[in-house]
Short mmCIF file of all heavy atoms in Angstrom, two decimals:
data_model
loop_
_atom_site.label_atom_id
_atom_site.label_comp_id
_atom_site.label_asym_id
_atom_site.label_seq_id
_atom_site.Cartn_x
_atom_site.Cartn_y
_atom_site.Cartn_z
N ALA A 687 27.05 -2.23 334.94
CA ALA A 687 25.71 -1.65 334.93
C ALA A 687 24.70 -2.48 335.71
O ALA A 687 23.67 -1.97 336.16
CB ALA A 687 25.24 -1.48 333.48
N GLY A 688 24.96 -3.80 335.89
CA GLY A 688 23.99 -4.66 336.57
C GLY A 688 24.25 -4.84 338.04
O GLY A 688 23.31 -5.08 338.81
N THR A 689 25.50 -4.67 338.45
CA THR A 689 25.83 -5.00 339.85
C THR A 689 26.14 -3.77 340.70
O THR A 689 26.38 -3.91 341.90
CB THR A 689 27.06 -5.93 339.87
OG1 THR A 689 28.18 -5.26 339.28
CG2 THR A 689 26.77 -7.22 339.11
N THR A 690 26.12 -2.59 340.12
CA THR A 690 26.42 -1.38 340.88
C THR A 690 25.13 -0.67 341.25
O THR A 690 24.41 -0.17 340.38
CB THR A 690 27.30 -0.41 340.07
OG1 THR A 690 28.44 -1.11 339.56
CG2 THR A 690 27.78 0.75 340.93
N PRO A 691 24.77 -0.65 342.55
CA PRO A 691 23.52 0.01 342.97
C PRO A 691 23.50 1.48 342.55
O PRO A 691 24.54 2.14 342.48
CB PRO A 691 23.54 -0.14 344.48
CG PRO A 691 24.43 -1.31 344.74
CD PRO A 691 25.48 -1.25 343.68
N MET A 692 22.33 2.00 342.30
CA MET A 692 22.18 3.39 341.86
C MET A 692 22.77 4.36 342.87
O MET A 692 23.38 5.38 342.50
CB MET A 692 20.71 3.72 341.62
CG MET A 692 20.04 2.91 340.50
SD MET A 692 20.81 3.16 338.88
CE MET A 692 20.38 4.86 338.55
N SER A 693 22.61 4.04 344.15
CA SER A 693 23.08 4.96 345.19
C SER A 693 24.60 4.95 345.35
O SER A 693 25.15 5.80 346.04
CB SER A 693 22.43 4.60 346.53
OG SER A 693 22.79 3.27 346.91
N MET A 694 25.27 3.98 344.70
CA MET A 694 26.72 3.86 344.85
C MET A 694 27.48 4.23 343.57
O MET A 694 28.67 3.99 343.46
CB MET A 694 27.09 2.43 345.27
CG MET A 694 26.53 2.02 346.62
SD MET A 694 27.03 0.35 347.08
CE MET A 694 26.16 0.15 348.64
N ARG A 695 26.79 4.81 342.64
CA ARG A 695 27.42 5.12 341.35
C ARG A 695 28.05 6.51 341.35
O ARG A 695 27.57 7.43 342.01
CB ARG A 695 26.39 5.03 340.22
CG ARG A 695 25.83 3.65 340.03
CD ARG A 695 24.90 3.59 338.84
NE ARG A 695 24.39 2.22 338.65
CZ ARG A 695 23.87 1.76 337.55
NH1 ARG A 695 23.74 2.57 336.49
NH2 ARG A 695 23.44 0.51 337.46
N HIS A 696 29.11 6.61 340.55
CA HIS A 696 29.69 7.91 340.22
C HIS A 696 29.66 8.00 338.69
O HIS A 696 30.68 7.82 338.01
CB HIS A 696 31.11 8.03 340.77
CG HIS A 696 31.18 7.92 342.26
ND1 HIS A 696 30.80 8.96 343.09
CD2 HIS A 696 31.55 6.90 343.08
CE1 HIS A 696 30.95 8.58 344.36
NE2 HIS A 696 31.40 7.33 344.38
N ASP A 697 28.48 8.27 338.18
CA ASP A 697 28.20 8.20 336.75
C ASP A 697 28.56 9.53 336.08
O ASP A 697 27.89 10.55 336.26
CB ASP A 697 26.72 7.89 336.54
CG ASP A 697 26.36 7.57 335.10
OD1 ASP A 697 26.94 8.20 334.19
OD2 ASP A 697 25.48 6.71 334.88
N ALA A 698 29.61 9.50 335.27
CA ALA A 698 30.08 10.72 334.63
C ALA A 698 29.07 11.27 333.62
O ALA A 698 28.92 12.48 333.47
CB ALA A 698 31.41 10.46 333.94
N LEU A 699 28.35 10.38 332.96
CA LEU A 699 27.40 10.82 331.94
C LEU A 699 26.20 11.52 332.56
O LEU A 699 25.72 12.54 332.05
CB LEU A 699 26.96 9.64 331.08
CG LEU A 699 26.00 9.97 329.93
CD1 LEU A 699 26.59 11.04 329.02
CD2 LEU A 699 25.66 8.71 329.14
N VAL A 700 25.69 10.98 333.67
CA VAL A 700 24.57 11.63 334.35
C VAL A 700 24.99 13.01 334.85
O VAL A 700 24.24 13.99 334.73
CB VAL A 700 24.07 10.76 335.52
CG1 VAL A 700 23.05 11.53 336.35
CG2 VAL A 700 23.46 9.46 335.00
N GLY A 701 26.21 13.09 335.39
CA GLY A 701 26.71 14.39 335.84
C GLY A 701 26.81 15.38 334.69
O GLY A 701 26.41 16.54 334.81
N ALA A 702 27.34 14.92 333.56
CA ALA A 702 27.47 15.79 332.39
C ALA A 702 26.10 16.22 331.88
O ALA A 702 25.90 17.39 331.51
CB ALA A 702 28.24 15.07 331.29
N ALA A 703 25.14 15.30 331.87
CA ALA A 703 23.79 15.62 331.41
C ALA A 703 23.16 16.70 332.28
O ALA A 703 22.49 17.62 331.78
CB ALA A 703 22.93 14.37 331.40
N GLU A 704 23.35 16.58 333.60
CA GLU A 704 22.82 17.59 334.52
C GLU A 704 23.42 18.96 334.23
O GLU A 704 22.73 19.99 334.23
CB GLU A 704 23.10 17.16 335.95
CG GLU A 704 22.49 18.07 336.99
CD GLU A 704 22.74 17.57 338.41
OE1 GLU A 704 23.84 17.02 338.67
OE2 GLU A 704 21.85 17.73 339.25
N MET A 705 24.73 18.99 333.96
CA MET A 705 25.40 20.26 333.66
C MET A 705 24.87 20.88 332.38
O MET A 705 24.63 22.09 332.30
CB MET A 705 26.91 20.02 333.55
CG MET A 705 27.57 19.59 334.84
SD MET A 705 29.30 19.12 334.58
CE MET A 705 29.66 18.30 336.15
N ILE A 706 24.65 20.03 331.37
CA ILE A 706 24.19 20.53 330.07
C ILE A 706 22.78 21.10 330.17
O ILE A 706 22.47 22.16 329.62
CB ILE A 706 24.27 19.41 329.02
CG1 ILE A 706 25.74 19.04 328.77
CG2 ILE A 706 23.60 19.84 327.72
CD1 ILE A 706 25.93 17.75 327.99
N LEU A 707 21.91 20.42 330.91
CA LEU A 707 20.55 20.93 331.10
C LEU A 707 20.55 22.24 331.88
O LEU A 707 19.76 23.15 331.59
CB LEU A 707 19.70 19.88 331.81
CG LEU A 707 19.30 18.67 330.96
CD1 LEU A 707 18.62 17.62 331.83
CD2 LEU A 707 18.37 19.10 329.82
N GLN A 708 21.43 22.34 332.87
CA GLN A 708 21.53 23.58 333.64
C GLN A 708 22.01 24.72 332.75
O GLN A 708 21.54 25.85 332.86
CB GLN A 708 22.49 23.39 334.81
CG GLN A 708 22.57 24.58 335.75
CD GLN A 708 21.26 24.85 336.46
OE1 GLN A 708 20.71 23.97 337.11
NE2 GLN A 708 20.74 26.07 336.33
N LEU A 709 22.95 24.41 331.87
CA LEU A 709 23.46 25.41 330.94
C LEU A 709 22.33 25.96 330.07
O LEU A 709 22.19 27.17 329.90
CB LEU A 709 24.55 24.81 330.07
CG LEU A 709 25.18 25.75 329.04
CD1 LEU A 709 26.19 26.66 329.71
CD2 LEU A 709 25.85 24.97 327.91
N GLU A 710 21.50 25.07 329.54
CA GLU A 710 20.39 25.50 328.70
C GLU A 710 19.41 26.37 329.49
O GLU A 710 18.96 27.41 329.01
CB GLU A 710 19.66 24.29 328.11
CG GLU A 710 18.50 24.69 327.21
CD GLU A 710 17.56 23.55 326.90
OE1 GLU A 710 17.24 22.78 327.82
OE2 GLU A 710 17.13 23.44 325.74
N ALA A 711 19.09 25.94 330.70
CA ALA A 711 18.15 26.70 331.51
C ALA A 711 18.67 28.10 331.80
O ALA A 711 17.93 29.09 331.70
CB ALA A 711 17.88 25.95 332.82
N ASP A 712 19.94 28.21 332.14
CA ASP A 712 20.51 29.52 332.44
C ASP A 712 20.58 30.41 331.20
O ASP A 712 20.39 31.63 331.29
CB ASP A 712 21.91 29.34 333.04
CG ASP A 712 21.87 28.75 334.44
OD1 ASP A 712 20.79 28.73 335.06
OD2 ASP A 712 22.93 28.28 334.92
N ALA A 713 20.86 29.79 330.04
CA ALA A 713 20.92 30.57 328.80
C ALA A 713 19.53 31.13 328.45
O ALA A 713 19.40 32.27 328.00
CB ALA A 713 21.46 29.72 327.67
N LEU A 714 18.48 30.32 328.67
CA LEU A 714 17.12 30.79 328.40
C LEU A 714 16.74 31.93 329.33
O LEU A 714 16.07 32.89 328.92
CB LEU A 714 16.14 29.63 328.55
CG LEU A 714 16.20 28.57 327.44
CD1 LEU A 714 15.38 27.34 327.84
CD2 LEU A 714 15.69 29.15 326.12
#
Side-chain angles (χ1 to χ4, degrees):
T689 61
T690 309
M692 297 299 292
S693 61
M694 297 182 183
R695 296 185 179 199
H696 299 284
D697 189 323
L699 183 55
V700 171
E704 185 177 36
M705 295 172 193
I706 294 167
L707 287 172
Q708 185 65 55
L709 180 79
E710 181 195 42
D712 290 345
L714 288 169

